[in-house]
Amino acid sequence: MNPCGCLGINVTWACNVSCKHCFYRRNPNLHKNIHKPLQEIIQEMRKGLFRGIDRIVLIGEGEPMLHPQINEIILAAACEGLKSNIITNGTLPIKNYEALFKLGLNHLQISVHAIGEALEMIMECQGAGIRQGELITWLKENKLPFRTNTSLQQLNYKQLPEITQCLIEKGAFHIALLGFLPHYEWKQHAAEVAVHPQELRPYIEKAADLLIASGKFFTIRYHPFCHLSPEYWKYVVNARYVLYDPWEWDYGYYKPSWGEVWPAALALGESTAIQTEPCIHCAMRLHCGGWNKHYAEIFKGANLAAISHSPHIYWPMDQEPGGLHDMNPANSLKGYCVNGRPV
């Protein structure tokens, strides 16, 4: 279990879409042309380098590609010796992405919340599905690395297996299936988009079966163990293990050894996790961490149930922090690509 050595940088509030499940949908700054100055971004990079990170991801509160100095940011990262990644909705002109790869961009992370017209409904942007599809096709044809994330919500969860199969065929090297979490201004409104984890289960499991059969690296983020069959638990990263997920970022907590990060990881997970029944006495609490208390409130407890014992397939790894985490092949990688291939 290695601490995540990636620095996440919010670079802009500007955005060209309005995703129905966006964390910042109700924030008054969203869609405003508020950009973090280039020099401030470079300072963040250098502070990250000082604590030991080796890569960055531009996460934006909006769409990072809309920062007016996006080219300079990627070039600066390369000059600092940092590998770079951008989380993008994939709807900007292909030439913009092509320029970044030439400047040293390591790979893209594309938010694929649906396919075609369904994506346009989620993003509230006409033509978004076509443009994103064209970008993914271009990446595949040019053998440029990309991974994806799909946030599960009412408008897309039943199509998750189809979305996943498409991404497998298109060549995404890592696929993240993200449970919606009621962060920021969402707490009182999450029921508008969130789906009961029990309803999500068959679609997540079918998508996982497709990914396992294809040999793809993947992660299931933010889902209670008690609403998944045990064979899928090792692929789950809940809040407690985010700081060890190579495909996430370090939230400012990176240190060289897992033990140095563990107190911060526990605190981060417990800041949102249920600290009472049924999670407090669950046999898998060390690994699940307890479910998000705000999410559970939305669904009046969400039918959560304490797991009575660890299945044999996880003995004796279940006795150690990160024992299950280390069983997911995706977590053994470094979180970036070398010569276009994940390492």
Side-chain angles (χ1 to χ4, degrees):
M1 185 168 66
N2 297 310
C4 176
C6 181
L7 166 68
I9 306 179
N10 287 303
V11 295
T12 185
W13 282 95
C15 197
N16 60 331
V17 300
S18 298
C19 292
K20 291 185 178 294
H21 58 269
C22 176
F23 278 165
Y24 306 105
R25 187 173 176 89
R26 287 179 168 77
N27 191 295
N29 288 327
L30 185 61
H31 296 119
K32 291 184 179 180
N33 289 323
I34 303 174
H35 312 295
K36 185 172 289 185
L38 176 61
Q39 194 55 44
E40 188 174 336
I41 294 170
I42 293 174
Q43 289 174 356
E44 286 191 37
M45 291 182 194
R46 290 174 178 170
K47 288 179 181 178
L49 279 166
F50 182 77
R51 68 173 182 267
I53 63 99
D54 61 2
R55 58 196 186 279
I56 65 166
V57 55
L58 305 186
I59 52 182
E61 283 98 349
E63 168 55 55
M65 291 292 296
L66 293 178
H67 192 288
Q69 293 178 286
I70 186 65
N71 286 16
E72 288 88 340
I73 295 171
I74 297 302
L75 182 58
C79 291
E80 296 288 345
L82 293 165
K83 299 170 183 66
S84 57
N85 165 36
I86 300 174
I87 299 178
T88 178
N89 58 44
T91 64
L92 281 296
I94 289 175
K95 64 179 181 180
N96 295 21
Y97 298 101
E98 183 177 19
L100 296 179
F101 275 107
K102 290 179 179 178
L103 290 169
L105 180 70
N106 187 261
H107 68 276
L108 283 176
Q109 181 176 351
I110 306 173
S111 298
V112 183
H113 305 307
I115 299 169
E117 293 182 3
L119 181 61
E120 296 175 9
M121 185 181 301
I122 290 173
M123 287 187 170
E124 297 183 348
C125 179
Q126 187 174 4
I130 294 173
R131 294 196 295 275
Q132 186 183 91
E134 289 174 344
L135 173 64
I136 291 174
T137 297
W138 176 80
L139 290 167
K140 180 181 180 181
E141 291 175 348
N142 288 274
K143 299 181 179 179
L144 294 170
F146 73 98
R147 56 188 170 107
T148 65
N149 62 84
T150 302
S151 293
L152 306 182
Q153 48 124 309
Q154 293 175 14
L155 291 176
N156 69 1
Y157 76 101
K158 291 184 179 180
Q159 286 77 45
L160 181 60
E162 289 76 17
I163 296 169
T164 301
Q165 183 60 43
C166 178
L167 295 174
I168 291 170
E169 294 172 358
K170 291 292 185 179
F173 70 80
H174 175 259
I175 295 172
L177 311 179
L178 301 170
F180 173 80
L181 291 180
H183 291 327
Y184 310 113
E185 292 83 8
W186 269 106
K187 289 185 177 67
Q188 305 303 317
H189 306 276
E192 297 174 15
V193 297
V195 182
H196 195 296
Q198 196 168 15
E199 291 186 43
L200 289 174
R201 176 175 177 168
Y203 302 99
I204 292 176
E205 292 184 349
K206 186 172 181 179
D209 287 340
L210 292 169
L211 289 159
I212 293 168
S214 70
K216 287 287 182 182
F217 297 113
F218 75 100
T219 303
I220 301 169
R221 289 214 183 98
Y222 316 130
H223 198 86
F225 281 21
C226 57
H227 282 309
L228 279 180
S229 295
E231 60 262 38
Y232 306 107
W233 293 352
K234 66 182 180 181
Y235 299 105
V236 175
V237 173
N238 287 338
R240 176 171 285 194
Y241 286 93
V242 163
L243 298 184
Y244 301 99
D245 184 342
W247 308 105
E248 263 277 353
W249 50 94
D250 77 334
Y251 294 87
Y253 291 111
Y254 177 79
K255 293 184 184 300
S257 70
W258 78 266
E260 292 178 284
V261 176
W262 188 239
L266 290 176
L268 183 64
E270 291 178 2
S271 66
T272 59
I274 294 171
Q275 301 298 310
T276 57
E277 298 289 352
C279 297
I280 195 68
H281 291 127
C282 178
M284 300 307 296
R285 181 174 177 79
L286 177 62
H287 306 283
C288 181
W291 190 230
N292 184 287
K293 57 189 176 184
H294 303 296
Y295 197 114
E297 287 171 5
I298 297 167
F299 295 108
K300 299 179 180 179
N303 297 334
L304 300 174
I307 296 165
S308 60
H309 63 278
S310 173
H312 289 183
I313 58 173
Y314 294 124
W315 292 359
M317 292 79 72
D318 62 317
Q319 301 301 308
E320 298 292 335
L324 270 66
H325 186 85
D326 284 344
M327 294 177 72
N328 181 358
N331 296 335
S332 68
L333 301 177
K334 297 178 181 178
Y336 56 84
C337 296
V338 173
N339 296 324
R341 300 179 66 84
V343 297

